[in-house]
Amino acid sequence: QVQLVESGGGSVQAGGSLRLSCAASGYSVYTYSGIGTYCLGWFRQTPGKEREGVAILRATGGVTYYADSVKGRFTVSRDFAKNTLYLQMNSLKPEDTATYYCAATKGPQVDCGTCVTQLPQYNNYYWGAGTLVTISS
């Protein structure tokens, strides 16, 4: 059973930084070598808006994808030994205020880039419970 548990959310002032963590268990696709690729990363959602992908990487490592709104400010990374996903968020803005969700695809995808360019099909992902990030001006 796949479990994703986020931590690290909180409140900071604009211009500050936060690092989110996602402890993953039961997700063992990192040596997959078939067609397509598994993807994992971070989404965010504010009340009344659709959930959007902000930072995604291939489960096998290496390639990352970012939403235009966070490029140059957010960095997604993984610690393979700890099976933990991170989101380093710098130069935070009030519009970054949201609940942030860790997610991982249930099956291989053609292109992990679509995770940040298209609205997610919720059933295609495993989801964490989310962690709230609040940025004050």
Side-chain angles (χ1 to χ4, degrees), residues 59-82:
T60 51
V63 184
T64 56
Y65 306 85
Y66 296 94
D68 288 342
S69 59
V70 306
K71 280 181 182 176
R73 301 188 298 122
F74 289 14
T75 302
V76 60
S77 62
R78 278 188 55 207
D79 184 323
F80 283 84
K82 295 181 179 180

Side-chain angles (χ1 to χ4, degrees), residues 6-135:
E6 304 99 335
S7 61
S11 299
V12 296
Q13 289 190 325
S17 299
L18 279 174
R19 189 177 81 156
L20 305 183
S21 300
C22 172
S25 60
Y27 194 66
S28 303
V29 300
Y30 307 121
T31 58
Y32 175 76
S33 59
I35 297 174
T37 183
Y38 286 79
C39 318
L40 63 163
W42 297 90
F43 292 73
R44 68 185 181 187
Q45 189 172 21
T46 55
K49 290 191 176 182
E50 297 282 355
R51 194 168 298 185
E52 61 175 358
V54 294
I56 302 294
L57 54 73
R58 291 183 182 175
T60 51
V63 184
T64 56
Y65 306 85
Y66 296 94
D68 288 342
S69 59
V70 306
K71 280 181 182 176
R73 301 188 298 122
F74 289 14
T75 302
V76 60
S77 62
R78 278 188 55 207
D79 184 323
F80 283 84
K82 295 181 179 180
N83 211 9
T84 299
L85 186 71
Y86 300 100
L87 182 66
Q88 179 66 44
M89 305 185 293
N90 298 328
S91 302
L92 284 161
K93 304 176 181 180
E95 51 263 43
D96 294 319
T97 295
T99 298
Y100 284 72
Y101 297 90
C102 177
T105 58
K106 294 181 178 178
Q109 307 298 301
V110 173
D111 177 12
C112 289
T114 59
C115 299
V116 295
T117 59
Q118 299 178 5
L119 295 178
Q121 298 291 322
Y122 290 96
N123 289 338
N124 289 347
Y125 294 85
Y126 299 106
W127 296 96
T131 186
L132 180 63
V133 171
T134 303
I135 312 303

